[in-house]
Amino acid sequence: MSDLTLDKLQARFNAAAARDMDEIFQFHFSDAGDHYLVVKDGTLEVCKGEHEEPSVSLSLSTKTLRGVMKGEISGVGAFMSGKLKASGNVMLATRLGSLFPAN
């Protein structure tokens, strides 16, 4: 994942939507390696690598993530078409839209 994409996530982060959360979102990117987001009590930390105990793990390309985040493709559509694979608490993935709303 490029630093520019990480900057966009930081800039779009909705701290109010993350209040009272304590979750780890693991991303396994086919084209950019592993990254995870630590969302805790209204804060966001973006880390490189793999977390030992993520709340949810998502496997996808950065292009698919950008499409989902821009609203060009639904998360369900990406999942059903095989562009996105999820494990763990997959319902958490549905909160990404509220955590990172489109501007």
Side-chain angles (χ1 to χ4, degrees):
M1 183 190 302
S2 74
D3 289 335
L4 182 59
T5 302
L6 293 175
D7 291 342
K8 286 181 182 178
L9 285 180
Q10 290 280 6
R12 289 176 55 175
F13 182 64
N14 179 2
R19 195 173 10 175
D20 298 326
M21 284 186 77
D22 187 3
E23 306 292 349
I24 307 295
F25 293 81
Q26 178 72 59
F27 293 92
H28 300 285
F29 292 108
S30 58
D31 56 345
D34 297 333
H35 293 79
Y36 61 93
L37 308 178
V38 179
V39 179
K40 185 171 184 171
D41 295 324
T43 65
L44 172 66
E45 181 182 1
V46 180
C47 305
K48 216 173 197 180
E50 191 166 353
H51 193 274
E52 289 182 17
E53 295 184 43
S55 306
V56 62
S57 292
L58 304 168
S59 298
L60 67 167
S61 69
T62 56
K63 180 180 177 182
T64 299
L65 177 64
R66 279 192 298 273
V68 170
M69 299 303 267
K70 289 180 177 180
E72 297 170 353
I73 181 173
S74 73
V76 173
F79 180 78
M80 296 302 283
S81 68
K83 293 180 179 179
L84 167 66
K85 294 179 182 166
S87 61
N89 184 353
V90 296
M91 292 307 294
L92 276 178
T94 63
R95 304 232 4 226
L96 287 172
S98 64
L99 291 171
F100 304 99
N103 293 333

